[in-house]
Structure formats: C-alpha cells, structure tokens
Amino acid sequence: ACSGGYYIACAADEIVADHNSIVGSIGVISRGFGYVRKLRKEGLERRVHVAGRSKSGLDPFMPIKANDLARQQRLLNELHQ
C-alpha cells in the first residue's frame, strides 16, 4: 500500500498488514526557493510587516534565518512521526 494506502487508511482505527505486504512511510516535504540575490541585483527590496513570532519565516524573498530553518525541520520531523 505504501504512502497512498496510508493516506487512505488514516481514518481507520487499525491497519492490518500481511508479512508479504509492501508498506512504507508517508514522507513529509517542504519546498521553497530563494529570490534574495535576484531582488538585490534588480535593486528591489522586500518589505514585510507582521505581528507575532515566526510569521515571516522562510519567506523566499528574505535570507534564511537559522532558527526558522531549525523550526521548520522540527515541524517536518514531528509530522513524519
């Protein structure tokens, strides 16, 4: 069943698998891109105004902050469990 089967079975109270079943984990991925150098080259500046912590984390138009990246990895690891 692998990942698709787990997705379908996520509402079940119990999942039963035979020894010959092919099973795998559901992966978790977070994708993005970095546009910081291009904006700088074009003379553009990104302006973001937020209220609250971590609201602009991993913004593709701003340099990556180590604490935002670490928070994202913790979240991905938690979701994967």
Side-chain angles (χ1 to χ4, degrees), residues 5-64:
Y6 282 120
Y7 179 74
I8 292 169
C10 68
D13 292 327
E14 184 178 357
I15 299 173
V16 178
D18 184 76
H19 282 290
N20 294 321
S21 297
I22 299 173
V23 296
S25 66
I26 297 175
V28 179
I29 187 169
S30 174
R31 295 182 179 160
F33 61 93
Y35 210 67
V36 177
R37 283 187 269 175
K38 179 67 172 172
L39 288 177
R40 192 176 300 130
K41 180 180 176 184
E42 297 296 327
L44 299 171
E45 177 184 349
R46 171 89 162 142
R47 297 179 184 160
V48 178
H49 306 279
V50 299
R53 290 182 53 212
S54 304
K55 298 301 178 196
S56 64
L58 300 180
D59 184 321
F61 299 101
M62 298 172 64
I64 294 175

